[in-house]
Amino acid sequence: MNKKFIISILIILSIAVGIFGFNYFTLAKPLDSVLKSDYRNKGIEVSVHYENYVNPNVLVFDIKKVQLTNRTADVFRVFWQYSSELKTKSFDKVILSSKGQPKFYIHGSHFQQIGREHGIQNPIYIIRTFPENVYNMDDTKAFGSWTGGILGVTGKQMEDFNNFSKKWFIDDALK
């Protein structure tokens, strides 16, 4: 009886270590590289893992802590830099969480697209058009698209980005 119990415990431990290692080497290690590669990323704590730690089709990007000295653009830059690190990986969706609470998601194809555009596309364009690609967790679009003159559209897009950031992590950072 003791031998079976020990074998069972060893199997469970092996599975847990395998899951942790899989998440660490494929997701967390590239994030560590991003966070250390840019001094402006100091003060931002993020956790990444597969959905339920075992579903490799869904990435969870979870903001854990943001210092008061960091700006919204700093957090989004980390996200964009990370998408660039993972631009060859394919996900169905990327869940945007704050302190363990899923808030929104984007399609994996959009995550991959902005990753490929890092260093090429204008950061302001990526920021202002990002909310158009954000979904609520109930699969409804979180923000609409704007049409009209460039100044009016840009203003509304930036307003949406600020609202998105507030709902994603700023409100939680203030708690």
Side-chain angles (χ1 to χ4, degrees):
M1 187 71 165
N2 282 340
K3 188 175 182 180
K4 286 183 182 179
F5 179 74
I6 291 171
I7 290 172
S8 297
I9 294 297
L10 289 174
I11 289 172
I12 291 170
L13 284 174
S14 297
I15 291 170
V17 167
I19 290 170
F20 173 79
F22 181 57
N23 279 269
Y24 176 76
F25 288 108
T26 59
L27 299 178
K29 191 172 181 185
L31 176 64
D32 289 342
S33 175
V34 164
L35 291 171
K36 292 175 183 171
S37 70
D38 191 327
Y39 73 93
R40 299 171 296 176
N41 297 343
K42 186 177 180 182
I44 299 170
E45 294 178 24
V46 179
S47 169
V48 289
H49 59 85
Y50 294 109
E51 183 180 45
N52 299 319
Y53 294 89
V54 295
N55 181 0
N57 298 315
V58 179
L59 168 66
V60 177
F61 188 91
D62 189 12
I63 306 293
K64 295 295 187 184
K65 188 175 181 182
V66 178
Q67 297 291 332
L68 294 175
T69 55
N70 294 111
R71 301 181 327 244
T72 302
D74 295 329
V75 175
F76 192 76
R77 185 187 54 258
V78 168
F79 180 76
W80 194 17
Q81 290 170 339
Y82 186 62
S83 71
S84 180
E85 281 291 310
L86 298 185
K87 65 185 167 202
T88 60
K89 291 195 178 290
S90 179
F91 300 104
D92 292 338
K93 70 167 87 168
V94 177
I95 296 175
L96 307 172
S97 293
S98 176
K99 296 185 177 181
Q101 293 297 116
K103 302 289 181 120
F104 300 102
Y105 75 88
I106 62 171
H107 292 289
S109 58
H110 186 66
F111 181 76
Q112 198 172 40
Q113 176 188 340
I114 66 171
R116 286 191 308 265
E117 293 176 350
H118 184 262
I120 299 168
Q121 185 57 264
N122 181 332
I124 299 299
Y125 175 79
I126 295 294
I127 285 173
R128 70 182 178 84
T129 59
F130 190 79
E132 297 171 14
N133 296 286
V134 174
Y135 292 82
N136 294 308
M137 294 308 294
D138 66 3
D139 296 326
T140 59
K141 286 199 66 91
F143 301 91
S145 298
W146 296 98
T147 58
I150 188 71
L151 290 177
V153 168
T154 300
K156 290 296 187 183
Q157 288 173 324
M158 291 307 294
E159 186 178 308
D160 283 350
F161 182 77
N162 289 332
N163 287 334
F164 156 71
S165 300
K166 188 175 185 312
K167 291 177 184 176
W168 177 20
F169 65 88
I170 293 173
D171 284 348
D172 291 336
L174 299 174
K175 291 179 185 173

